[in-house]
C-alpha cells in the first residue's frame, strides 16, 4: 500500500490521469489525497468533479480548498441550493468561477440535479486529515496550520473552527488560515511534532534562493519542485503550479518520493 498526495489540480484532469498511470496507482491498495482547489483556472474542472464525485474509488480522498469554499459561499447567497449561482461581486466570480460554471453546465454528462450534488459534496469536504503512514504522523491541509503559539490560551473562537492536537496541546485552527494562509506559513519556525503536507501557495512563484540568502536555511527543493522547509523539514509544499505553466507535483508519504507531470 502507498499513500500519495497532490494539490491544486485547478481543472487539469489529463495531468492527474497521466500521474496516476505513471505511479501505477492501484485503488485496491493505494490511497490518494487531493488537498483542495480542484476547480477554477484550468480547462477541465467539470471532468475532475465528475471523476471524483461520480467515478473515483473510495481510496480517493479530498479536502476543501479556498476555491471550493468560494463556490460554496457564492451559492449560499441564494435561497435555492439546487443550482450553482454567483453575483459579479462574489470573490468566486473574479477567481475564474464563471469559467468553471460554464464548464459544468456545458459538460456532456450534465444531468438535472448534478449542480446540487456538487454543492452537497463540497459542503461535506473536511478541512484537514490527520493520518498515520508506517508509524509517522501527517496532517494534510490545503494552505497552512497555526501553531499553538499563534493564540493566547484564553482566546475565544466562534464559528466553524477546529482543534489540532499538537504535542499534547490543543491548538485552535481558524478556517480562513487553513484555506488561505501564505506568507506567515513560510516564515514560521515553529518546531512541529508531525509532518504537514499542504498546497495553496505555488512554489514556482517564490524566490527560494533569495529566502536562503536572507537567512531562511531550512529549505530543501529542486527547481520548481516540491519544497520541504522548517525545522526538521517537516512542512511540505506540493503545489508546483500546474495552472501556471509549472507541473503537477505528487508526494508519496511512504518514502517521501516525488513524482511530476508537466502541464500538457
Amino acid at each position: 500500500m502507498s499513500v500519495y498526495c497532490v494539490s491544486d489540480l485547478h481543472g487539469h484532469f489529463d495531468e492527474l490521469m497521466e500521474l496516476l498511470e505513471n505511479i501505477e496507482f492501484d485503488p485496491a491498495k493505494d490511497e490518494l489525497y487531493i488537498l483542495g482547489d480542484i476547480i477554477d483556472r484550468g480547462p477541465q474542472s467539470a471532468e475532475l468533479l465528475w471523476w471524483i464525485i461520480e467515478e473515483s474509488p473510495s481510496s480517493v480522498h479530498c479536502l476543501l480548498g479556498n476555491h471550493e469554499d468560494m463556490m460554496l459561499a457564492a451559492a449560499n447567497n441564494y435561497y435555492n441550493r439546487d443550482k450553482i449561482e454567483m453575483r459579479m461581486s462574489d470573490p468566486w466570480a473574479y477567481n475564474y468561477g464563471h469559467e468553471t460554471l460554464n464548464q459544468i453546465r456545458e459538460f456532456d454528462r450534465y444531468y438535472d440535479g448534478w449542480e446540487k450534488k456538487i454543492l452537497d459534496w463540497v459542503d461535506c469536504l473536511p478541512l484537514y486529515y490527520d493520518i498515520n503512514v508506517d508509524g509517522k504522523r501527517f496532517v494534510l491541509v490545503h494552505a497552512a496550520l497555526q501553531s499553538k503559539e499563534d493564540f493566547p490560551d484564553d482566546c475565544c473562537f466562534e464559528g466553524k473552527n477546529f482543534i489540532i492536537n499538537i504535542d499534547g496541546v490543543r491548538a485552535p485552527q481558524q478556517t480562513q488560515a487553513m484555506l488561505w494562509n501564505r506568507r506567515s506559513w513560510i516564515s514560521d519556525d515553529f518546531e512541529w511534532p508531525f509532518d504537514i503536507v499542504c498546497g495553496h501557495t505555488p512554489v514556482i512563484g517564490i524566490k527560494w534562493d533569495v529566502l536562503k540568502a536572507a537567512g531562511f536555511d531550512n529549505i530543501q527543493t529542486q527547481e520548481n519542485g516540491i519544497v520541504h522547509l522548517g525545522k526538521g523539514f517537516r512542512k511540505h509544499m506540493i503545489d508546483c503550479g500546474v495552472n501556471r505553466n509549472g507541473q503537477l507535483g505528487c508526494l508519496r508519504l511512504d518514502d517521501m518520493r516525488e513524482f511530476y507531470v508537466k502541464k500538457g
Side-chain angles (χ1 to χ4, degrees):
M1 171 183 170
S2 292
V3 180
Y4 299 92
C5 289
V6 298
S7 189
D8 295 80
L9 298 172
H10 283 301
H12 288 83
F13 175 74
D14 289 344
E15 287 82 356
L16 176 62
M17 293 300 104
E18 182 179 346
L19 172 71
L20 295 182
E21 183 177 352
N22 291 349
I23 64 177
E24 298 180 347
F25 181 76
D26 183 349
K29 63 178 182 179
D30 297 332
E31 302 278 331
L32 175 67
Y33 289 87
I34 302 173
L35 309 188
D37 279 9
I38 297 157
I39 60 170
D40 299 340
R41 297 200 171 114
Q44 298 172 302
S45 291
E47 284 89 339
L48 267 172
L49 287 168
W50 181 273
W51 181 77
I52 293 170
I53 297 173
E54 305 284 354
E55 297 181 350
S56 69
S58 59
S59 54
V60 174
H61 316 278
C62 294
L63 287 178
L64 184 71
N66 58 300
H67 281 258
E68 290 81 36
D69 191 54
M70 285 189 288
M71 171 198 275
L72 196 62
N76 283 341
N77 286 328
Y78 293 81
Y79 291 108
N80 182 8
R81 274 285 300 270
D82 291 339
K83 295 285 186 181
I84 302 171
E85 302 288 355
M86 76 177 79
R87 298 183 176 94
M88 288 304 297
S89 59
D90 290 327
W92 192 42
Y94 50 83
N95 278 279
Y96 301 86
H98 282 293
E99 293 180 14
T100 295
L101 187 52
N102 288 337
Q103 291 172 25
I104 290 171
R105 290 182 175 170
E106 294 171 2
F107 188 50
D108 59 5
R109 280 169 280 183
Y110 184 95
Y111 62 84
D112 288 342
W114 191 40
E115 290 184 42
K116 183 179 186 302
K117 189 170 184 179
I118 291 171
L119 291 173
D120 290 344
W121 176 78
V122 169
D123 201 25
C124 293
L125 289 176
L127 277 170
Y128 71 95
Y129 284 105
D130 192 338
I131 65 173
N132 186 288
V133 180
D134 295 334
K136 189 175 182 179
R137 184 184 177 192
F138 291 89
V139 174
L140 317 179
V141 64
H142 177 63
L145 289 184
Q146 296 164 292
S147 73
K148 62 186 179 184
E149 298 174 351
D150 287 342
F151 305 105
D153 292 338
D154 60 351
C155 65
C156 178
F157 289 84
E158 297 180 357
K160 191 178 180 182
N161 295 295
F162 296 81
I163 300 293
I164 302 283
N165 187 300
I166 301 178
D167 205 19
V169 177
R170 288 162 54 85
Q173 301 294 315
Q174 289 182 316
T175 299
Q176 289 303 301
M178 298 174 83
L179 293 175
W180 287 94
N181 194 6
R182 293 191 195 274
R183 190 178 303 274
S184 63
W185 176 241
I186 295 172
S187 60
D188 171 37
D189 63 352
F190 179 73
E191 188 168 0
W192 297 90
F194 46 76
D195 284 62
I196 304 165
V197 186
C198 63
H200 183 56
T201 301
V203 299
I204 62 172
I206 301 171
K207 297 187 181 299
W208 298 105
D209 55 340
V210 175
L211 285 174
K212 287 182 179 180
F216 291 91
D217 297 326
N218 298 329
I219 299 172
Q220 292 178 342
T221 186
Q222 56 178 300
E223 185 177 1
N224 294 337
I226 292 170
V227 175
H228 313 275
L229 73 162
K231 291 182 179 178
F233 303 105
R234 304 199 75 172
K235 297 191 292 187
H236 314 283
M237 299 173 63
I238 66 172
D239 177 5
C240 297
V242 68
N243 67 299
R244 302 189 180 194
N245 296 316
Q247 55 190 344
L248 177 60
C250 174
L251 185 63
R252 186 166 66 192
L253 303 188
D254 313 61
D255 54 8
M256 306 305 284
R257 183 177 172 184
E258 302 169 15
F259 302 86
Y260 298 97
V261 169
K262 293 288 186 182
K263 180 178 179 179

